[in-house]
Amino acid sequence: MSVWEHLGRLDNLSMSIFGVVIIAIAAPLAAGYDEMFDKMDIDKILANDALFTEYVECFVDKGPCKAELAVEFKKIIPEIIKEACEKCTTVQKSNVRKFINAMYKRIPHKAIALHLKHDPTGEHEPKFLAFLHAKDD
């Protein structure tokens, strides 16, 4: 008997319990990025030119990724650009907006390089730029 045949024999209560279990298992996988990114002190990074530059250089492959969480954050940048931070928490959205907007203001050529690196055709640009210009939740 297949799994689907077994499922067909379950009553409503069993199906409800089965559904809750599936949601409980799947929810953390779809929840978003690690909460460690919520703890990044973005204001401290932006206030320190050397630290800000270290992150930027890491993200555009022009320097080492020694700063706290730089390697981990660099790994999710492509998805953040592609999905306009859809999986980000409210804090993460705010931090991404602050950082990327600071890049465009302070070193626009590096911001453009970062964007082109992860979206060379500009396919995701309208959605990502709309995200950057949106107000924090």
Side-chain angles (χ1 to χ4, degrees):
M1 187 176 280
S2 74
V3 171
W4 298 112
E5 290 171 322
H6 282 291
L7 288 176
R9 292 182 171 192
L10 295 175
D11 61 22
N12 285 341
L13 177 60
S14 297
M15 282 301 281
S16 296
I17 292 170
F18 179 74
V20 169
V21 169
I22 293 298
I23 290 170
I25 292 169
L29 300 175
Y33 303 115
D34 194 298
E35 67 181 30
M36 69 181 168
F37 298 117
D38 289 353
K39 297 175 181 147
M40 289 180 76
D41 188 348
I42 198 71
D43 294 323
K44 176 183 171 187
I45 294 167
L46 296 178
N48 181 325
D49 285 337
L51 185 57
F52 176 70
T53 300
E54 189 174 333
Y55 277 98
V56 170
E57 295 298 305
C58 164
F59 297 161
V60 297
D61 299 325
K62 297 294 183 188
C65 297
K66 295 180 182 177
E68 181 182 12
L69 299 176
V71 171
E72 295 85 354
F73 192 77
K74 183 178 179 177
K75 289 177 185 174
I76 65 172
I77 289 174
E79 186 175 46
I80 286 174
I81 291 173
K82 180 182 176 186
E83 297 180 1
C85 220
E86 288 177 355
K87 293 182 182 177
C88 297
T89 65
T90 302
V91 171
Q92 292 165 358
K93 286 178 182 179
S94 177
N95 286 346
V96 168
R97 282 188 185 111
K98 284 181 182 180
F99 190 89
I100 300 295
N101 284 327
M103 281 184 70
Y104 273 105
K105 182 177 179 184
R106 293 158 65 173
I107 41 175
H109 67 284
K110 299 272 182 161
I112 292 166
L114 180 68
H115 195 100
L116 287 174
K117 175 183 176 188
H118 299 294
D119 186 19
T121 65
E123 175 184 358
H124 307 292
E125 184 176 11
K127 186 175 178 181
F128 187 67
L129 291 178
F131 158 74
L132 288 178
H133 292 95
K135 300 290 182 208
D136 287 335
D137 300 334

